[in-house]
Amino acid sequence: MIDDRFLDEARELPSVVPMERVVAWSVFRSRDAARQLLEHVHLAPGQALVGGHGQDSVAPYWWVGVQVQNLEAWGHSSAVNKHGRMGD
């Protein structure tokens, strides 16, 4: 069983508040939808699931991401998704 307790932590998206070595994330409008993704994520050695929940001007959200131990080993830093504050 996958530990999903990190979804209960109040934590803004990495595009709003940068989080070290988080390279990819997805946003959902329900905790259940975020939880469903966890069953389909395949991690390589040195990778871990991260995430949390917050609220924007529309509604609450939950997010799931991947944090890597070594950004250089993961790939080119320009491949990290959602660089800017607004995802640009």
Side-chain angles (χ1 to χ4, degrees):
M1 176 173 237
I2 296 174
D3 183 2
D4 64 357
R5 290 178 288 178
F6 63 85
L7 293 173
D8 298 324
E9 296 178 27
R11 184 179 291 148
E12 296 290 339
L13 286 165
S15 57
V16 176
V17 177
M19 189 173 175
E20 191 174 352
R21 300 179 327 275
V22 176
V23 297
W25 58 91
S26 298
V27 181
F28 304 89
R29 290 296 177 181
S30 73
R31 187 186 190 287
D32 186 54
R35 174 66 179 89
Q36 289 177 26
L37 175 70
L38 302 183
E39 301 295 332
H40 304 284
V41 176
H42 299 279
L43 299 172
Q47 298 178 350
L49 289 171
V50 295
H53 67 87
Q55 182 160 339
D56 60 16
S57 62
V58 176
Y61 63 80
W62 287 259
W63 67 276
V64 175
V66 175
Q67 187 173 43
V68 297
Q69 284 181 347
N70 183 334
L71 188 59
E72 289 77 30
W74 177 78
H76 196 280
S77 62
S78 68
V80 174
N81 77 334
K82 301 179 180 72
H83 284 277
R85 183 175 182 279
M86 304 309 279
D88 54 353

